[in-house]
Amino acid sequence: MRMPRRELPPPPPPAHLRAWLDESTVRADRARFLSELGRRSLGIGRLLLLWAVAAVFALGWSFVGMALMAFEAHDPFSYLFGLIFAALGVGVLIPAGFWLAWGAKRDRQVRRLLCAWAELGRDPAADSAVRAPGLSLTWLLASFVLCGLGLWVTLGSAASAVPGDDTYGEVAYTMGLGMILWITGLLGAGKAGAHYRWALRAFGGGSRSAGPASAETASSGPVSS
């Protein structure tokens, strides 16, 4: 029986119950749930979802930028349009912030479940799939590109601004978009690095302790499935 798409897998059964369960059944559940949790933690869909959240923030900031530019026109109609754009920007940014917070909470839940199921034993095939070095590298490279683009937009807009030709609103708008790109790249790179470090601890040759404490330290990123 498959669980609903938006529900997370259950936690592992307690030790006193696992003693009564068939070992092959527990191993099969571990492999299936680790695969599902790994997809929810580091799948390509998660990367696209992170970028979608960033796009919503960029849309909200675009409205704020248009409000700033309208206020700089210093006429009644521009002030009116500025207030409308500011209200639209706040109306987009606040839900995006809640979405980001909910995604970060879901990421912590996924990481706790990953740690709990990984502690049950070893299964080279399942563990290799969850380790996912290729996906970690994809996240890292894509995030580095986004960070570089964000820094280029932010610093370039500030350096190329010409007093008298470029208004403060235009510079703030462009720099804000660059900062959104840069922060999104940092979140993606941090998530890829955290997953790689956790996989080394959980499945590598070092310590296998990946309990709730390590789940808290390893989690980083806003997105949810």
Side-chain angles (χ1 to χ4, degrees):
M1 176 177 170
R2 295 179 61 85
M3 57 188 172
R5 184 173 179 82
R6 291 188 175 272
E7 290 186 6
L8 293 177
H16 67 279
L17 291 181
R18 290 201 301 270
W20 296 91
L21 298 175
D22 182 66
E23 183 179 354
S24 61
T25 300
V26 176
R27 187 182 299 112
D29 286 342
R30 178 183 181 274
R32 183 170 71 256
F33 292 146
L34 280 180
S35 175
E36 172 68 14
L37 291 167
R39 182 189 65 80
R40 290 174 183 249
S41 177
L42 209 70
I44 295 298
R46 297 277 293 154
L47 180 61
L48 296 178
L49 188 57
L50 175 62
W51 290 354
V53 175
V56 175
F57 272 103
L59 175 63
W61 181 251
S62 296
F63 286 124
V64 174
M66 287 188 288
L68 293 175
M69 288 182 276
F71 290 147
E72 289 184 326
H74 302 297
D75 65 76
F77 285 106
S78 296
Y79 280 124
L80 176 61
F81 283 117
L83 290 175
I84 294 174
F85 287 139
L88 289 173
V90 172
V92 173
L93 290 174
I94 290 179
F98 281 113
W99 191 7
L100 184 67
W102 183 84
K105 179 181 178 181
R106 176 57 66 93
D107 272 351
R108 291 193 294 270
Q109 294 172 342
V110 169
R111 183 53 54 87
R112 291 192 187 102
L113 289 171
L114 269 172
C115 293
W117 280 105
E119 287 181 336
L120 290 189
R122 287 184 178 272
D123 183 347
D127 296 349
S128 176
V130 178
R131 193 179 294 114
L135 280 175
S136 296
L137 183 61
T138 299
W139 272 71
L140 195 62
L141 293 178
S143 298
F144 277 160
V145 170
L146 210 59
C147 281
L149 180 61
L151 285 177
W152 179 76
V153 171
T154 302
L155 299 178
S157 62
S160 62
V162 178
D165 292 338
D166 299 306
T167 65
Y168 289 108
E170 292 172 344
V171 175
Y173 165 68
T174 308
M175 290 183 66
L177 290 180
M179 289 296 296
I180 291 173
L181 293 174
W182 181 61
I183 293 173
T184 304
L186 287 181
L187 290 175
K191 186 174 180 62
H195 181 87
Y196 180 76
R197 292 193 303 271
W198 169 80
L200 287 181
R201 289 197 300 269
F203 307 122
S207 171
R208 293 278 329 286
S209 61
S214 62
E216 289 291 338
T217 58
S219 61
S220 63
V223 279
S224 80
S225 59

